[in-house]
């Protein structure tokens, strides 16, 4: 090779060297800088001419990135060991102008033809960009790991068949499993068997690409066997760069929420099914919710009620002030309590006890009102009935007391009028007067009898009877009573159950009811009397306060008359209540019927509407036994045949009257004003055939007296007169069946018949 060719080659090599993109520094065999290319100049901050001849360590200063310890330049090792040396990672080049540049480099020996080392060539590269990218990468990986680890939600990675690949702390805390345990488990091991199908389905959809995510609410079995509710959301991470696909699943513990939901559901069922009506309104009072009881009570369906104002229930029974006070109370945040009379959809009224409370939000302002309403219509009715019964009771006591005394006096008036009549001649001028006295007194007796019946003080002699027979015997008389313009229909029920009642009382009931029915019919119409067997069951009685379950013979009298309005209905049973003009009504008819029915443990019901006629139903309790024969009383007035009668009566006027009448009839009479006196007399007079005694007297009563005297003289007959005294009647109410009884006041023929019958029995 000639000189010029050599120079050209060297020239060429130098150009190549300087064009290399990496930094290149060459040293001599002593390690001093011989050559630098421009990249090396740029990185180290040294100019070639400055650096030439200096030791490499001066131009190429390197430190460890982390420790900042100065590193030996690889050149020394290359010279020493004659091998290619690479720099460790994390090396920083400290440039002459103070920069720190991350680099990688390598050093290699330069050998001559003989193989002797004549220097070192150092090649290095600026790594700033790579390092930064790597740092970024590193940093982000770290971040993701930390995120996964520390997320406040359970995070798991599952293999495509459900095996656990990874689980974060939160998930482990939630389930109670350690990482170690989880990595040998499948997610299905944690799902209760009945929920597994859903889980499998979810995984399949993700795998088949049918869904991008899949979320479910699922129960998981914790390590200790307890169950938690978890909201899971899963997605598929597809296979990439040889890494198989897997599922990323987040799992949030919603047990608390589920429990709250359960409680809410429970509460809402309770509210929905409650026996009380519940209404929720917004602040303006518009209905937002009503429960079933509301629908039942008001007749409005939920659809009809929602959006309405509760004033659809207004009955008009309360004034504006009432509602204003209510609103004032609740809108000021307080609870209102009270009683409403409201109107149902069908127009009928009902009464309810109501509590209305405001509902507040977190900030304390009112958002809703809730009303709990309890229908007390029935309760109010029962209360009213109870009060009514009490009123009747006290009125009865009063009326009974007056009637009792008055009745005795009437007896005396009538008795002496009769006696006087029997003593004067047919054409005596006072005969007409006496007859007037007698007939007026007799009419008064009718009124008094009614009052006593109402007061339940009418002594009765109940027998077991068939009401059908008793009523049939009355039909002729009733037809006469109601006249020709009114038809009377008789509908006896078959095989009517027997009841125990004084037949005279059945007559009284029928007469009173038919007279009322007749009065209610303006001109033509119809009265129906019917009977039937009725069984009142528990359910029916629960709906009809005052009724007692059991078997009853029912007697009903219906008419096509004017009917009654509400006010009349409420008062109809009260004595002296009448809507009839003065002289026409006494107001005692229904009171009498009421008293009789009560005395016989029965019930009475009125069904009546203005213009719709009236039905009055009487229920008498069924008894066993055979019906008694009702004997027709003989017509003639039988006299005495000198038999001795002991008359015992504490009321002197009556004692005298009875004795005088009996003597006139041809009896021998012994008188006693007390039971003691009677016993004394009886001891002296064995010839006594009959004891006629008052039922109640001071000291010993009539029954006990009869018992004592029967012991003294067996075969003694007994006839009672009623004393009308409250005590005995109240305590016993009635006389025993079969006992002979003379009702005060009595006429001559009454006493004649009863005494004769008693002695002959
Ligand atoms: P009185 O018949 O003397 O008025 P009651 O006690 O028998 O007394 O009846 C009281 C009131 O009840 C009557 O005045 C009448 O207004 C009403 N009433 C009773 N029965 C009927 C009926 N069948 N139809 C319509 N109103 C009746
Ligand atoms: Mg009447």
């Amino acid at each position: 090779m000639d000189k010029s060719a050599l120079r050209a080659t060297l020239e060429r090599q130098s150009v190549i060297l300087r064009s290399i993109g990496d930094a290149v520094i060459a040293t001599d065999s002593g390690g001093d800088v011989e050559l630098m290319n421009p990249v090396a100049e740029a990185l180290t901050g040294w100019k070639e001419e400055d650096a030439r001849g200096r030791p490499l360590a001066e131009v190429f200063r390197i430190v460890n990135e982390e420790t900042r310890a100065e590193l030996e330049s690889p050149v020394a090792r290359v010279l020493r060991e004659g091998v290619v040396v690479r720099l460790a990672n994390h090396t920083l080049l400290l440039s002459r102008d103070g920069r720190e540049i991350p680099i990688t480099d390598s050093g290699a020996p330069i050998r001559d033809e003989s193989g002797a080392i004549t220097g070192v060539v150092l090649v290095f590269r600026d790594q700033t960009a790579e390092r930064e990218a790597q740092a970024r990468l590193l940093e982000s990986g770290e971040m993701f790991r930390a995120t996964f680890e520390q997320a406040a939600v359970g995070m798991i990675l599952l293999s495509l068949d459900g095996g656990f690949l990874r689980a974060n702390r939160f998930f482990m805390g939630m389930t109670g499993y350690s990482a170690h345990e989880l990595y040998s488990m499948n997610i299905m091991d944690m799902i209760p068997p009945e929920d597994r199908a859903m889980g499998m389905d979810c995984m399949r959809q993700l795998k088949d690409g049918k869904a991008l995510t899949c979320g479910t609410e699922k129960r998981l079995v914790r390590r200790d066997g307890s169950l938690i509710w978890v909201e899971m959301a899963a997605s598929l991470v597809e296979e990439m760069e040889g890494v198989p696909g897997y599922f990323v699943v987040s799992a949030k513990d919603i047990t608390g929420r589920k429990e709250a939901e359960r409680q809410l559901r429970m509460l809402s069922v309770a509210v929905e099914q409650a026996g009380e009506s519940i209404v929720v309104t917004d602040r303006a009072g518009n209905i937002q919710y009503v429960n079933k009881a509301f629908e039942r009570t008001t007749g409005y369906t939920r659809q009809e009620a929602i959006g309405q104002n509760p004033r659809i229930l207004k009955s008009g029974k309360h004034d504006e002030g009432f509602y204003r006070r209510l609103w004032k109370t609740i809108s000021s945040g307080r609870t209102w309590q009270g009683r409403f009379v409201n109107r149902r959809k069908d127009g009928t009224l009902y009464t309810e006890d109501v509590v209305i409370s405001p509902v507040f939000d977190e900030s304390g302002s009112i958002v809703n009102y809730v009303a709990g309403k309890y229908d007390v219509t029935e309760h109010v009715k029962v209360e009213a009935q109870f009060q009514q019964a009490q009123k009747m009771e006290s009125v009865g006591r009063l009326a009974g007391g007056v009637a009792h005394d008055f009745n005795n006096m009437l007896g005396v008036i009538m008795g002496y009028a009769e006696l006087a009549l029997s003593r004067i001649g047919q054409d005596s001028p006072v005969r007409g007067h006496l007859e007037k006295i007698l007939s007026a007194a007799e009419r008064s007796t009718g009124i008094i009898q009614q009052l006593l019946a109402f007061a339940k003080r009418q002594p009765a002699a109940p027998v077991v009877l068939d009401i059908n027979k008793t009523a049939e015997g009355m039909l002729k008389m009733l037809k006469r009573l109601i006249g020709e313009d009114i038809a009377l229909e008789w509908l006896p029920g078959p095989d009517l159950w027997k009841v125990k009642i004084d037949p005279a009382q059945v007559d009284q009931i029928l007469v009173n009811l038919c007279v009322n029915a007749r009065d209610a019919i303006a001109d033509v119409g119809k009265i129906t009397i019917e009977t039937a067997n009725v069984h009142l069951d528990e359910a029916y009685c629960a709906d009809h306060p005052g009724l007692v379950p059991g078997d009853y013979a029912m007697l009903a009298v219906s008419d096509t008359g004017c009917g009654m309005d509400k006010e009349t209905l409420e008062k109809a049973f009260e004595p002296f209540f009448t809507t009839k003009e003065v002289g026409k009504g006494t107001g005692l008819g229904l009171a009498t019927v009421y008293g009789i029915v009560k005395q016989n443990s029965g019930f009475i019901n009125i069904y009546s509407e203005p213009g719709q006629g009236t039905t009055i139903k009487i229920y008498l309790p069924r008894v066993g036994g055979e019906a008694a024969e009702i004997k027709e009383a003989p017509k003639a007035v039988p006299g005495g045949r000198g038999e001795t009668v002991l008359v015992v009566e504490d009321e002197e006027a009556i004692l005298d009257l009875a004795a005088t009448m009996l003597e006139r009839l041809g009896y021998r009479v012994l008188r006693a004003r007390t039971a003691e006196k009677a016993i004394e007399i009886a001891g002296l007079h064995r010839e006594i055939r009959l004891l006629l005694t008052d039922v109640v007297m001071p000291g010993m009563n009539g029954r006990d007296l009869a018992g004592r005297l029967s012991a003294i003289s067996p075969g003694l007959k007994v006839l009672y007169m009623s004393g009308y005294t409250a005590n005995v009647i109240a305590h016993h109410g009635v006389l025993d069946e079969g006992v002979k009884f003379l009702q005060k006041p009595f006429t001559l023929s009454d006493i004649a018949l009863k005494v004769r019958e008693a002695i002959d029995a």
Side-chain angles (χ1 to χ4, degrees):
M1 188 187 297
D2 61 27
K3 254 196 180 159
S4 65
L6 185 63
R7 196 181 300 110
T9 305
L10 282 176
E11 201 74 16
R12 177 90 185 129
Q13 281 174 349
S14 163
V15 168
I16 290 170
L17 191 66
R18 283 168 205 286
S19 305
I20 288 176
D22 284 352
V24 179
I25 300 176
T27 69
D28 59 17
S29 58
D32 292 338
V33 175
E34 210 175 44
L35 177 152
M36 284 175 87
N37 73 349
V39 180
E41 283 183 328
L43 287 181
T44 61
W46 284 86
K47 286 279 160 209
E48 193 178 29
E49 51 269 33
D50 295 339
R52 192 171 292 135
R54 293 178 188 269
L56 179 74
E58 200 177 315
V59 174
F60 186 73
R61 287 178 57 211
I62 52 177
V63 293
N64 177 286
E65 191 178 8
E66 254 102 326
T67 62
R68 314 299 291 183
E70 193 111 5
L71 297 171
E72 183 193 36
S73 97
V75 175
R77 257 186 79 197
V78 174
L79 290 175
R80 213 166 42 238
E81 296 170 20
V83 291
V84 176
V85 171
R86 278 176 211 291
L87 270 185
N89 280 327
H90 311 289
T91 302
L92 286 180
L93 169 69
L94 303 179
S95 74
R96 196 181 181 188
D97 48 14
R99 287 174 295 138
E100 292 181 346
I101 302 153
I103 54 163
T104 64
D105 77 344
S106 58
I110 306 169
R111 295 174 191 276
D112 61 10
E113 284 94 75
S114 70
I117 293 176
T118 59
V120 176
V121 62
L122 188 67
V123 180
F124 56 99
R125 172 182 299 172
D126 180 356
Q127 267 214 313
T128 308
E130 285 95 327
R131 286 279 179 88
E132 266 170 17
Q134 194 185 28
R136 267 203 307 276
L137 199 69
L138 241 170
E139 205 181 310
S140 63
E142 205 49 60
M143 210 168 76
F144 281 127
R145 202 172 309 123
T147 306
F148 179 86
E149 254 328 298
Q150 288 165 35
V153 64
M155 297 281 288
I156 46 178
L157 308 183
L158 298 176
S159 65
L160 294 184
D161 59 2
F164 278 93
L165 298 173
R166 207 63 205 249
N168 72 350
R169 260 187 272 163
F170 202 91
F171 187 82
M172 290 186 255
M174 230 162 74
T175 58
Y177 286 104
S178 67
H180 182 71
E181 286 165 328
L182 281 177
Y183 296 153
S184 62
M185 289 173 65
N186 187 292
I187 183 72
M188 289 302 158
D189 298 338
M190 265 190 212
I191 298 177
E194 58 270 29
D195 291 359
R196 277 181 200 156
M198 202 188 358
M200 299 292 259
D201 197 49
C202 173
M203 289 182 8
R204 200 169 311 118
Q205 288 204 358
L206 291 173
K207 268 194 281 192
D208 296 351
K210 293 211 177 99
L212 288 177
T213 60
C214 170
T216 52
E217 288 184 1
K218 212 179 269 309
R219 288 172 306 166
L220 289 188
V221 187
R222 303 179 72 237
R223 190 173 190 274
D224 64 9
S226 59
L227 286 174
I228 49 172
W229 273 100
V230 175
E231 184 184 286
M232 306 238 263
S235 54
L236 176 72
V237 178
E238 291 195 41
E239 175 189 345
M240 67 186 156
E241 294 172 14
V243 180
Y246 58 94
F247 295 118
V248 186
V249 183
S250 69
K252 195 165 137 198
D253 187 345
I254 53 165
T255 312
R257 195 182 85 199
K258 278 278 174 188
E259 175 58 17
E261 272 174 17
R262 196 188 61 78
Q263 288 202 358
L264 264 180
R265 239 191 334 268
M266 190 179 76
L267 277 176
S268 76
V269 170
V271 166
E272 181 70 12
Q273 303 295 339
E276 290 196 1
S277 295
I278 291 170
V279 180
V280 180
T281 71
D282 63 15
R283 282 185 58 168
N286 300 312
I287 296 175
Q288 292 187 319
Y289 169 83
V290 297
N291 68 349
K292 288 229 174 75
F294 176 93
E295 295 184 315
R296 271 200 306 275
T297 314
T298 64
Y300 288 102
T301 65
R302 181 167 305 168
Q303 290 75 15
E304 288 168 329
I306 286 176
Q308 298 276 1
N309 187 289
R311 74 173 73 93
I312 54 172
L313 303 175
K314 261 193 187 177
S315 62
K317 293 273 174 188
H318 308 285
D319 57 14
E320 279 311 307
F322 175 86
Y323 294 105
R324 219 177 308 118
R325 280 191 295 280
L326 187 167
W327 261 107
K328 209 174 145 198
T329 306
I330 59 175
S331 60
S332 67
R334 282 172 293 140
T335 292
W336 184 88
Q337 217 163 350
R339 186 169 276 191
F340 274 139
V341 174
N342 275 343
R343 192 180 295 282
R344 296 191 180 88
K345 192 183 177 191
D346 66 10
T348 56
L349 299 182
Y350 65 102
T351 310
E352 53 185 5
D353 278 347
V354 183
V355 178
I356 307 179
S357 309
V359 181
F360 303 96
D361 65 7
E362 294 82 15
S363 71
S365 46
I366 296 172
V367 282
N368 292 103
Y369 296 104
V370 176
K373 298 150 37 114
Y374 194 70
D375 188 343
V376 291
T377 313
E378 218 35 44
H379 181 79
V380 169
K381 209 160 92 188
V382 173
E383 223 169 52
Q385 277 179 350
F386 179 68
Q387 272 170 9
Q388 175 78 356
Q390 274 195 326
K391 189 166 78 184
M392 300 285 269
E393 192 63 41
S394 48
V395 172
R397 224 187 298 271
L398 183 73
V402 174
H404 166 234
D405 292 344
F406 189 52
N407 197 41
N408 278 340
M409 294 308 115
L410 260 184
V412 175
I413 294 168
M414 285 165 67
Y416 282 105
E418 271 190 316
L419 274 177
L421 269 174
S422 70
R423 289 217 170 143
I424 56 170
Q426 265 324 313
D427 36 42
S428 164
V430 293
R431 171 165 289 273
H433 300 177
L434 285 172
E435 276 169 359
K436 284 257 158 59
I437 293 175
L438 201 57
S439 75
E442 263 163 8
R443 272 210 303 282
S444 308
T445 308
I447 294 175
I448 291 297
Q449 286 308 317
Q450 303 245 48
L451 256 188
L452 286 168
F454 165 68
K456 290 182 260 173
R457 292 201 191 179
Q458 198 182 39
V463 293
V464 175
L465 60 78
D466 178 346
I467 293 181
N468 278 350
K469 282 200 186 133
T470 315
E472 238 147 57
M474 287 287 288
L475 288 177
K476 236 199 216 149
M477 191 274 220
L478 293 173
K479 275 200 179 115
R480 233 182 1 255
L481 195 68
I482 61 179
E484 283 161 8
D485 290 338
I486 299 170
L488 181 67
E489 191 169 16
W490 166 233
L491 303 170
D495 303 319
L496 194 67
W497 288 328
K498 306 280 183 292
V499 298
K500 193 171 178 188
I501 186 170
D502 186 331
Q505 292 184 323
V506 179
D507 297 349
Q508 255 178 312
I509 292 175
L510 284 169
V511 168
N512 277 310
L513 295 183
C514 286
V515 166
N516 281 347
R518 177 200 66 195
D519 292 349
I521 295 171
D523 32 19
V524 285
K526 190 166 94 180
I527 298 175
T528 308
I529 303 175
E530 51 193 314
T531 59
N533 291 333
V534 173
H535 175 77
L536 302 181
D537 59 14
E538 303 272 351
Y540 185 84
C541 293
D543 285 350
H544 294 76
L547 298 192
V548 176
D551 285 340
Y552 295 87
M554 191 269 298
L555 168 67
V557 176
S558 311
D559 63 63
T560 55
C562 59
M564 286 176 251
D565 58 20
K566 227 176 137 238
E567 286 67 40
T568 305
L569 257 180
E570 271 170 13
K571 293 212 166 97
F573 287 125
E574 283 177 25
F576 306 115
F577 172 80
T578 180
T579 56
K580 295 167 193 173
E581 59 196 78
V582 183
K584 264 208 138 179
T586 59
L588 284 171
L590 286 180
T592 302
V593 173
Y594 178 87
I596 292 172
V597 171
K598 287 286 156 197
Q599 189 177 26
N600 289 284
S601 312
F603 307 116
I604 183 163
N605 265 330
I606 307 190
Y607 304 89
S608 189
E609 302 259 349
Q612 300 295 310
T614 300
T615 295
I616 297 190
K617 284 186 178 171
I618 287 163
Y619 299 87
L620 294 169
R622 175 192 191 176
V623 293
E626 279 301 301
E629 277 298 312
I630 303 160
K631 294 191 210 82
E632 277 293 310
K635 295 279 177 286
V637 177
R641 294 188 282 271
E643 294 95 336
T644 304
V645 178
L646 173 56
V647 183
V648 189
E649 163 70 65
D650 61 313
E651 182 80 55
E652 192 161 13
I654 296 183
L655 178 62
D656 282 347
L657 174 64
T660 315
M661 284 177 158
L662 288 175
E663 278 163 356
R664 262 200 66 76
L665 286 166
Y667 294 95
R668 244 193 93 223
V669 179
L670 299 168
R671 306 163 187 226
R673 284 195 57 194
T674 64
E676 289 69 27
K677 185 79 184 154
I679 293 167
E680 199 188 307
I681 294 172
L684 300 169
H685 297 272
R686 298 294 162 132
E687 75 276 17
I688 298 172
R689 293 284 304 279
L690 176 78
L691 168 68
L692 171 60
T693 178
D694 195 4
V695 178
V696 170
M697 297 168 292
M700 189 182 289
N701 72 34
R703 273 181 229 205
D704 294 344
L705 175 63
R708 290 282 288 276
L709 295 196
S710 296
I712 298 171
S713 28
L716 177 76
K717 303 285 171 51
V718 182
L719 175 61
Y720 292 101
M721 302 180 272
S722 155
Y724 301 112
T725 313
N727 293 336
V728 161
I729 306 304
H731 289 145
H732 305 286
V734 291
L735 292 169
D736 296 336
E737 187 176 346
V739 161
K740 300 274 181 268
F741 179 76
L742 174 64
Q743 187 169 300
K744 292 185 201 172
F746 41 80
T747 62
L748 195 63
S749 68
D750 287 340
I751 195 170
L753 280 169
K754 291 278 178 172
V755 167
R756 191 69 258 158
E757 195 185 296
I759 291 175
D760 292 346

